[in-house]
Amino acid sequence: MSRQDQLSMHIHFPKETRAGDARVAVVPDAVKRLVKLGASVSVETGAGEALRVPDSEFEAAGASLTDDTAAPDGRADLVVRLNKPAVADVAKLSSGSVHISFTDPFNDAELTRSFAEQNVSSVSMEMIPRTTLAQKMDAMSSQANLAGYAAVVLAAERLDRILPMMMTPAGTIQPARVFVMGVGVAGLQAIATARRLGARVEAFDTRPAVEEQVRSLGARFVRVDLGETGETAQGYARELTDEQLAKQREVMAAKCAESDIVIAAAQVFGRKAPILVTSEMIRRMRPGSIVVDLSVDSGGNVEGIVADEETIVEGVRLVGHRGFSGRVAAHASQMYAANVVNFVEHFWDREANRLRLDLEDEIVRGCLVTHGGRIVHERFRE
Ligand code: NAD
């Protein structure tokens, strides 16, 4: 390593290890951008294998290669992953370094503690605030957007009907009916994709602000009078009361019964997802129809859904795959890597030639979970 490299901030990308997930945290373009910024970059051998990106492309972009999960000299100032590391991997990080990845902080307290004990400043990509300034770093949104697309494409493939209306000499085929529950980033893209394929789309969300967005995509918004619902300052939904949920399910049951495809993408940030499709509702659906649950990671919207599996219940196919953005892994990786590089660029101190996380900054306050040997994020201190 040259002296210049030793002086500059060193950023390392270990190979992703989560089985069944083809996404990677680094693409050659991300390496180029970081090198241009003034960082030295290393990539674990085979980091791009799942996407057929050869090591030589990372080298050509300016990265050094290492066979080790850790950086070449065992020291990296910043380590970037996509999926959360194992606790054992945290022990390999240098004290005082920064780690960026999804970390599942609401469920994995042990991992959070291990970052603090190792004196690593851990940035959790789940916690990037929903502000205009942070949009370019928002990996939850970039992945949800692709998940919404991939869910509809999979459902269309599984359905033994077509989505668009078709007028042929043999007769007219009516468009398929798609119902989307939960119109956040994933739900909106599911609506847009189903509309592009020609389906007749209806949607529901507890946040009234969504109605206009649904209509602008050429879909119909289903109104349910639930009384007070509202959203948080971050634009997230509030949890419904049991009475509100019961009322919502009544309307949802009728909509599900007349739909060919149901996409369930309703979540309440930091909490278990609400059950919106009950077994009773599934019994009322037409055999052959499809329900895709995009909330399986946070418990699922569909009663009886099995994570990572497709099951047939009363003739209805329940799709419980997790990590839908992984079905379009090349674009998911490209977007994730861009989100991370945008974060690093935003907080890059050009004089010191390194990443500087200002603890007073609103974005940093939102996503920095551990720092200085402590859990600094107020939501995870307990
Ligand atoms: P999410 O994944 O937390 O939830 C998905 C959707 O489920 C939300 O729209 C929520 O209202 C809905 N939901 C919750 N309970 C429900 C129920 N019982 N029935 C039906 N729907 C229910 O949300 P998200 O996709 O992460 O986005 C949340 C909001 O944040 C959206 O308004 C989005 O546009 C906004 N956002 C803003 C920015 C930004 O300004 N930078 C970035 C990303 C997202």
Side-chain angles (χ1 to χ4, degrees):
M1 215 180 277
S2 71
R3 183 168 157 67
Q4 177 60 40
D5 279 348
Q6 281 166 27
L7 287 175
S8 61
M9 179 157 191
H10 189 86
I11 305 176
H12 179 61
F13 292 88
K15 187 176 172 178
E16 290 295 308
T17 53
R18 180 167 154 177
D21 190 350
R23 295 175 302 167
V24 302
V26 62
V27 295
D29 186 56
V31 172
K32 270 188 213 153
R33 285 177 61 191
L34 293 170
V35 169
K36 195 164 165 220
L37 207 54
S40 66
V41 178
S42 59
V43 168
E44 186 179 345
T45 319
E49 218 167 62
L51 292 181
R52 302 164 303 280
V53 180
D55 291 337
S56 58
E57 283 194 29
F58 289 116
E59 252 178 334
S64 57
L65 290 168
T66 165
D67 284 334
D68 237 317
T69 300
D73 60 354
R75 291 189 58 84
D77 304 294
L78 166 63
V79 170
V80 180
R81 290 181 163 87
L82 190 149
N83 287 302
K84 65 177 179 179
V87 169
D89 286 325
V90 174
K92 295 178 191 155
L93 300 171
S94 329
S95 170
S97 66
V98 181
H99 185 279
I100 301 178
S101 73
F102 287 118
T103 66
D104 194 17
F106 288 104
N107 300 307
D108 199 341
E110 191 195 357
L111 181 64
T112 302
R113 273 196 303 275
S114 72
F115 278 125
E117 279 159 18
Q118 191 71 9
N119 188 26
V120 170
S121 303
S122 69
V123 170
S124 169
M125 289 304 273
E126 287 95 337
M127 301 303 294
I128 296 276
R130 262 52 209 289
T131 59
T132 307
L133 191 60
Q135 234 167 347
K136 61 186 179 191
M137 317 165 193
D138 185 351
M140 286 290 270
S141 288
S142 66
Q143 302 303 301
N145 196 9
L146 295 170
Y149 165 88
V152 171
V153 169
L154 181 112
E157 208 276 322
R158 296 285 189 271
L159 194 69
D160 57 4
R161 310 164 79 94
I162 61 168
L163 266 58
M165 179 174 182
M166 223 179 249
M167 290 160 106
T168 80
T172 298
I173 296 176
Q174 292 304 322
R177 298 185 65 155
V178 175
F179 183 46
V180 178
M181 282 183 233
V183 189
V185 179
L188 272 181
Q189 189 54 249
I191 296 173
T193 305
R195 288 289 302 141
R196 281 184 209 117
L197 289 172
R200 187 176 146 188
V201 184
E202 293 181 286
F204 173 74
D205 196 289
T206 52
R207 292 180 300 116
V210 168
E211 179 166 354
E212 193 46 45
Q213 296 167 9
V214 169
R215 282 219 237 106
S216 72
L217 290 171
R220 187 174 160 268
F221 187 76
V222 176
R223 286 218 180 114
V224 188
D225 183 12
L226 295 175
E228 188 64 35
T229 49
E231 59 185 58
T232 67
Q234 291 265 318
Y236 287 116
R238 293 196 192 284
E239 210 166 19
L240 297 186
T241 62
D242 288 347
E243 293 76 41
Q244 284 176 315
L245 257 181
K247 201 165 181 190
Q248 174 183 353
R249 286 195 199 113
E250 267 175 42
V251 181
M252 304 293 104
K255 285 294 153 202
C256 289
E258 58 193 31
S259 299
D260 300 293
I261 295 173
V262 172
I263 307 283
Q267 305 208 39
V268 179
F269 190 66
R271 292 180 192 270
K272 195 179 169 306
I275 292 282
L276 299 182
V277 183
T278 61
S279 302
E280 171 56 26
M281 286 160 74
I282 293 166
R283 263 194 291 282
R284 284 174 58 186
M285 288 179 70
R286 279 199 300 262
S289 44
I290 319 274
V291 182
V292 182
D293 192 337
L294 279 175
S295 302
V296 174
D297 270 325
S298 51
N301 291 141
V302 180
E303 197 172 16
I305 197 84
V306 184
D308 295 328
E309 286 197 18
E310 296 185 25
T311 50
I312 311 278
V313 175
E314 307 275 344
V316 176
R317 182 181 290 266
L318 307 183
V319 179
H321 300 307
R322 284 181 297 181
F324 256 90
S325 67
R327 295 184 167 263
V328 284
H331 281 146
S333 306
Q334 178 191 322
M335 292 179 114
Y336 180 82
N339 290 141
V340 171
V341 175
N342 290 338
F343 179 91
V344 174
E345 264 177 11
H346 188 85
F347 293 108
W348 194 258
D349 179 336
R350 284 168 205 274
E351 266 168 35
N353 208 25
R354 52 199 313 110
L355 180 72
R356 190 177 299 285
L357 297 178
D358 171 4
L359 301 185
E360 296 305 310
D361 182 275
E362 191 196 358
I363 299 172
V364 174
R365 278 215 313 266
C367 65
L368 187 68
V369 177
T370 63
H371 180 72
R374 291 186 311 120
I375 297 173
V376 290
H377 200 293
E378 57 186 20
R379 288 193 75 161
F380 309 112
R381 256 187 232 138
E382 295 303 300

